[in-house]
Amino acid sequence: MKYGLCVLLAAAAALLPAAGAALLPTAASAQTGPRASPGLQQPYLRDDEQILPSQIVAPPPPVKPKPKAKPAAKPPAVQPNPNAEPDDNPPAPVAVAKPPPPPKPAESGRVVACSGAFAKSSGHLKLAQSYGVHNVDYAEVSGDDGSTLMASVLFPNDPKRRLEVLWDDDVQRSGTRMIVIGGQSTWSAQKGVHLGLPLAALEKLNGKPFKLMGFEKDGMAIVSDWNGGALATLPDGCKVGVQFKPDPKAPAGALSAAGSDQEFASTDPVIRAAKPTVGEIIVAY
């Protein structure tokens, strides 16, 4: 029995180094197993501890630098082509609408009204106050029969604004007797009567035909009766008289046929043949 026990002890002693060598790889593999992942620093663990996957902390990812924004590319400049042919039909320029011009102010004082400076009670002084002292002169004017008369002349140096005013009292130069519109004057009487108005147009202003005497030696034909038309009476008690002059291109026998010793209707062909127009206007009281 002692011998057998000794043999068993000797065999066990021989097996111990081999068993230790077999156990060494197992320990090493335990350290390189799931508890020791490369690149991770793990704390020291006891043999009875175990790390769960949720407890493994991975290192933060590296921060990538943001790319710089590229500047916007400028559009290439358009270079004119020297070899290009000119366009036969270039685009039409856009018309810019212009504002309408402001209305012109109406000229005042160009109508002889039977009131104000031309009223029956007016005088030379009132004319000067209304139109300026330097625009009114007292001078001789020609009468119908070739004689001369004294009158207040408005704008004596301007043929288009000239106006002659004759007074009842030449000494006081007061009391309007008549106002004469002649020559190149642009003054007009009431109702739109002005120099150069054709006979037919004057009929329309009157609203009906009228009567006139034939042409005298001076070539003028005087209206003798308005036949109760619109020009027979004017406001404020004044009247309008008109003298016609013939057209220079009228037939040669027109004036001789319409002699001054006869009265004609404005519709008479004998008068119409002379193609008369208004040559002088007289506004009288």
Side-chain angles (χ1 to χ4, degrees), residues 111-122 126 176-179 188-191 233-240 282-285:
V111 177
V112 177
C114 301
S115 60
F118 304 114
K120 176 63 177 176
S121 59
S122 183
K126 192 163 187 177
T176 307
R177 180 161 49 121
M178 66 176 61
I179 304 162
S188 64
Q190 297 184 68
K191 308 288 187 179
T233 57
L234 297 178
D236 300 316
C238 61
K239 298 179 180 180
V240 59
I282 300 175
V283 178
Y285 289 93

Side-chain angles (χ1 to χ4, degrees), residues 102-260:
K104 296 181 180 180
E107 293 184 347
S108 59
R110 290 300 180 92
V111 177
V112 177
C114 301
S115 60
F118 304 114
K120 176 63 177 176
S121 59
S122 183
H124 182 94
L125 180 59
K126 192 163 187 177
L127 282 177
Q129 292 173 342
S130 300
Y131 295 96
V133 176
H134 301 291
N135 295 323
V136 182
D137 193 12
Y138 192 68
E140 290 184 350
V141 296
S142 299
D144 293 337
D145 54 358
S147 62
T148 58
L149 303 171
M150 296 302 296
S152 295
V153 182
L154 209 60
F155 303 104
N157 300 321
D158 189 348
K160 293 186 176 181
R161 293 194 294 171
R162 182 183 175 93
L163 203 64
E164 298 174 1
V165 182
L166 283 75
W167 310 107
D168 290 331
D169 187 345
D170 289 335
V171 177
Q172 299 294 327
R173 305 177 191 177
S174 63
T176 307
R177 180 161 49 121
M178 66 176 61
I179 304 162
V180 181
I181 304 172
Q184 303 176 24
S185 180
T186 56
W187 285 85
S188 64
Q190 297 184 68
K191 308 288 187 179
V193 181
H194 60 83
L195 298 180
L197 194 68
L199 185 144
L202 190 64
E203 280 185 350
K204 291 183 178 179
L205 293 180
N206 189 50
K208 60 191 306 185
F210 50 86
K211 294 179 181 180
L212 69 162
M213 301 302 295
F215 293 97
E216 297 179 353
K217 294 181 180 180
D218 58 358
M220 302 295 281
I222 303 173
V223 174
S224 55
D225 191 349
W226 292 110
N227 285 339
L231 298 177
T233 57
L234 297 178
D236 300 316
C238 61
K239 298 179 180 180
V240 59
V242 172
Q243 295 188 25
F244 283 96
K245 64 180 181 179
D247 188 341
K249 298 181 180 180
L255 295 182
S256 59
S260 60

